[in-house]
Amino acid sequence: MKKKQSNFDGLWQFWQAKDVTKTGRFIFLILVIAGVLSIIRFFDWWFHAEHIASLPLFILLSAITWYGITRIILIWINYLGVKKPARIKAEEGLSVAIFTTSSPGEPLSMFDKTLEACANISYPHTTYLLDDTQDPAFKEIAEKHGAVWLELVGLPGAKAGKVNKALQMVEEDFILIMDPDHIPFPNFLDEVLGFFKDEKVGFVQVSQAYYNQYRSFTAQGAAEQTYTFYGPTMMGMYGYGTSVAIGANCTFRKKALESIEGHGIGLAEDLITSIRLHAAGWKSVFNPVVVSRGLVPEDFGSYCKQQLKWSRGVFEVLFSEWPRLFKSLSFWQKISYLAVSSYYLVGVTTFLFVAIPFLYFWGGWLPANMDFTEFLVYGTPVIVIAIAIYLYVQRWLSHPPSERGLHWKGMVLKFAVWPVFFLGALLAVVNAEIPYIPTAKKAVKGLSPFTRPLIFQVILFVLTLGFVIYNRLYTVSEGILILTSQKIWGMFAFAFVSIIMVIGGIYAAYESRNLEEEEPWSDIDLDKIKLGKK
């Protein structure tokens, strides 16, 4: 039985990340030095000549392994720049617009709650509903809450297309883009507008937090994947001048958007907008405060569709925007956008990680001759210190009471959707188009077709295990059994790790079969949002 929203009342309170202290930085630096030393030790052991069984496969295995470790090192370097901006009081009299968009099929009741919350924002503003539903009820709900209804039907560019058209129709100097599934707190604008006193600031992003993670394994895992990003990761990016805009909860200077000919259009429209603004010389601010909460996908199929859209979209930045704007970016911006836009290569590396044991079982192709015990001796310190760093930086989470932990559901879900990431990479290579589809706001019942590759992987593992056991019982000589025992069972341990993750994904998908549709926003009492400082 699922927990009810009443158990999450603590979410509806203003929170902010802890200040960054010299002591906190120093302790983190010690941890990073220990981590780097453990990686150097592991590196020295890994590349021994006697470890090479097949040079091409060893190179492939090394590329997979050290791609992941390199990304770990980059995130540690990013954490070294962690910074929290000092609060700046907003000037009075600024002209501010809030844009939220509606699309066919989205629940009207959700807009009722969001537009009411927008009306409750204390700083004077005008809310605009950019509507292409052709449903008169949306106009009525906008007018009910004092919002201006703009009918924008048939525009290219999906959400970004509507935003760009609305920019030409309004006169406000600052634009907050609020996704319709997010419920803003009354002090939202008070926490962002002050930063625009610096005329070079083009946009201010705040933390993105959620309130429906209690609904399912998928929802909890999807939320967990964002906790450190909207805390220490983005704080580090801010410290290096590279914090990015996200699709929701971002306030733009209208002049900045006009300087790049409007909001970027694409499947990763927020990242496109960010890199263009940074290339044009605009600064960004990340303020790690919780001043709104929204939704994550509740069912496995909706989550996979969202991830496919994002994985296909960020490659647009990698292949197009990053090379084109390279010369206009700072050193850290170059590194940051390269790291962010290549994130979904994890689909390719995970595919290879999954494939290597089966290449050995069915073809006898062994990439490396490594003693499993030695691997544990040299590899365990890297893992232990990486976990210690991960837990330590959680001191800078935006809402530690609900966000601290090992986030194992997020890790399971990330691994289990490797076929989606892999498909996104393939679609990017062939430059195939996929439609921009808003993420489902309510659970979609049923077993998603995205589950099929996971089921196939488990079946293949079971059949392979049966084949190997039969072969070793009835056809392999005793001498060969002794010589190959460690390699065989070491490879099975290697493969079993991925199977555990995949089974977790299958469970998430199976759970979605019976997930009841719910409107989690319906139980939220806006009058109980607490704004006391934390």
Side-chain angles (χ1 to χ4, degrees):
M1 184 175 180
K2 299 297 177 187
K3 290 177 281 187
K4 293 298 183 182
Q5 184 64 37
S6 58
N7 293 338
F8 282 73
D9 289 340
L11 301 182
W12 297 101
Q13 183 172 356
F14 172 77
W15 281 83
Q16 57 183 319
K18 286 184 177 180
D19 292 336
V20 182
T21 64
K22 290 182 179 179
T23 302
R25 285 186 183 276
F26 178 74
I27 295 173
F28 177 70
L29 179 60
I30 296 301
L31 286 172
V32 169
I33 291 172
V36 170
L37 290 176
S38 70
I39 288 173
I40 291 172
R41 179 171 175 263
F42 184 62
F43 182 93
D44 179 64
W45 172 81
W46 181 276
F47 288 103
H48 285 182
E50 61 268 23
H51 287 166
I52 302 173
S54 165
L55 183 58
L57 289 179
F58 182 79
I59 292 173
L60 183 62
L61 178 62
S62 298
I64 298 168
T65 303
W66 291 96
Y67 167 79
I69 292 177
T70 299
R71 292 196 69 91
I72 290 173
I73 295 172
L74 284 175
I75 196 65
W76 291 352
I77 293 172
N78 181 69
Y79 290 151
L80 287 172
V82 68
K83 181 180 178 182
K84 179 184 174 184
R87 188 178 188 275
I88 303 175
K89 185 178 180 180
E91 294 181 357
E92 295 182 2
L94 299 178
S95 57
V96 184
I98 299 177
F99 286 178
T100 191
T101 60
S102 54
S103 298
E106 293 184 311
L108 182 66
S109 60
M110 180 180 70
F111 287 85
D112 191 18
K113 185 70 70 174
T114 297
L115 291 173
E116 181 185 358
C118 288
N120 289 345
I121 292 178
S122 57
Y123 194 94
H125 66 280
T126 302
T127 301
Y128 295 86
L129 177 60
L130 317 184
D131 179 34
D132 71 346
T133 64
Q134 298 181 290
D135 182 347
F138 280 81
K139 180 180 180 180
E140 294 173 8
I141 208 74
E143 293 174 346
K144 171 185 174 183
H145 297 293
V148 177
W149 175 76
L150 299 178
E151 186 173 33
L152 303 174
V153 179
L155 296 174
K159 171 184 168 183
K162 287 185 281 190
V163 168
N164 288 337
K165 181 63 177 179
L167 285 174
Q168 301 170 17
M169 302 169 68
V170 304
E171 297 181 353
E172 285 83 2
D173 296 321
F174 302 96
I175 312 294
L176 165 60
I177 297 180
M178 176 68 60
D179 272 4
D181 62 335
H182 280 255
I183 297 175
F185 294 6
N187 63 331
F188 191 114
L189 293 173
D190 296 315
E191 299 299 324
V192 300
L193 292 177
F195 299 110
F196 288 105
K197 287 183 179 180
D198 183 345
E199 293 292 331
K200 294 182 179 179
V201 170
F203 64 91
V204 179
Q205 177 69 52
V206 299
S207 298
Q208 194 153 296
Y210 309 97
Y211 65 92
N212 69 326
Q213 55 264 55
Y214 70 96
R215 284 276 290 152
S216 66
F217 186 101
T218 298
Q220 184 65 46
E224 287 179 356
Q225 291 173 4
T226 71
Y227 291 157
T228 55
F229 181 78
Y230 292 113
T233 300
M234 279 282 273
M235 290 172 73
M237 293 169 74
Y238 169 63
Y240 289 114
T242 66
S243 52
V244 297
I246 308 301
N249 298 339
C250 191
T251 307
F252 293 93
R253 188 187 298 273
K254 184 183 179 185
K255 186 186 298 183
L257 288 176
E258 290 174 339
S259 73
I260 59 169
E261 300 181 352
H263 199 287
I265 292 177
L267 295 173
E269 55 194 17
D270 44 7
L271 198 59
I272 292 171
T273 304
S274 297
I275 193 171
R276 289 178 181 177
L277 286 170
H278 280 138
W282 294 97
K283 296 197 302 186
S284 60
V285 174
F286 173 68
N287 193 14
V289 295
V290 176
V291 285
S292 83
R293 287 194 177 272
L295 302 177
V296 283
E298 296 180 354
D299 64 278
F300 187 73
S302 295
Y303 174 77
C304 288
K305 290 176 183 177
Q306 180 197 68
Q307 295 300 308
L308 179 60
K309 179 178 69 175
W310 288 355
S311 62
R312 172 64 183 90
V314 297
F315 283 113
E316 297 175 13
V317 177
L318 179 63
F319 295 150
S320 178
E321 300 292 327
W322 189 77
R324 182 175 67 85
L325 301 173
F326 183 84
K327 293 182 179 179
S328 300
L329 299 172
S330 70
F331 172 77
W332 286 113
Q333 286 169 352
K334 291 181 176 72
I335 298 297
S336 180
Y337 280 109
L338 176 61
V340 172
S341 61
S342 62
Y343 170 80
Y344 286 103
L345 285 174
V346 68
V348 177
T349 59
T350 306
F351 166 72
L352 297 173
F353 175 87
V354 168
I356 282 175
F358 293 104
L359 291 175
Y360 174 67
F361 296 139
W362 294 100
W365 298 330
L366 184 68
N369 289 312
M370 293 180 179
D371 182 85
F372 188 66
T373 303
E374 284 189 9
F375 177 82
L376 292 177
V377 168
Y378 286 92
T380 299
V382 177
I383 296 172
V384 170
I385 296 173
I387 292 173
I389 289 175
Y390 185 79
L391 294 175
Y392 184 79
V393 299
Q394 290 182 17
R395 66 192 290 113
W396 297 306
L397 291 172
S398 296
H399 188 242
S402 67
E403 296 177 354
R404 279 190 292 249
L406 285 174
H407 303 153
W408 65 272
K409 291 181 181 178
M411 288 187 285
V412 167
L413 200 61
K414 176 183 173 181
F415 191 99
V417 297
W418 73 260
V420 176
F421 298 159
F422 185 72
L423 177 59
L426 291 180
L427 293 174
V429 169
V430 300
N431 199 28
E433 296 293 331
I434 63 174
Y436 183 101
I437 302 174
T439 303
K441 306 303 188 290
K442 293 191 286 188
V444 179
K445 294 178 67 171
L447 189 64
S448 168
F450 287 105
T451 316
R452 293 169 187 165
L454 307 183
I455 296 173
F456 174 78
Q457 185 179 341
V458 172
I459 292 173
L460 181 61
F461 176 82
V462 172
L463 291 176
T464 301
L465 179 61
F467 166 76
V468 170
I469 291 175
Y470 175 84
N471 194 40
R472 294 178 70 79
L473 284 175
Y474 298 107
T475 64
V476 176
S477 67
E478 185 174 346
I480 297 296
L481 284 175
I482 296 172
L483 289 173
T484 61
S485 180
Q486 187 182 72
K487 292 185 178 67
I488 282 286
W489 302 120
M491 274 293 187
F492 264 113
F494 189 64
F496 189 66
V497 171
S498 67
I499 290 300
I500 291 295
M501 298 291 199
V502 163
I503 289 173
I506 294 173
Y507 170 79
Y510 181 81
E511 183 187 43
S512 299
R513 293 174 65 241
N514 301 309
L515 191 61
E516 294 298 328
E517 185 179 286
E518 186 178 285
E519 296 185 344
W521 53 84
S522 62
D523 294 330
I524 296 169
D525 186 347
L526 299 182
D527 293 331
K528 292 185 178 180
I529 295 177
K530 300 176 183 178
L531 303 183
K533 296 292 188 294
K534 283 287 179 181

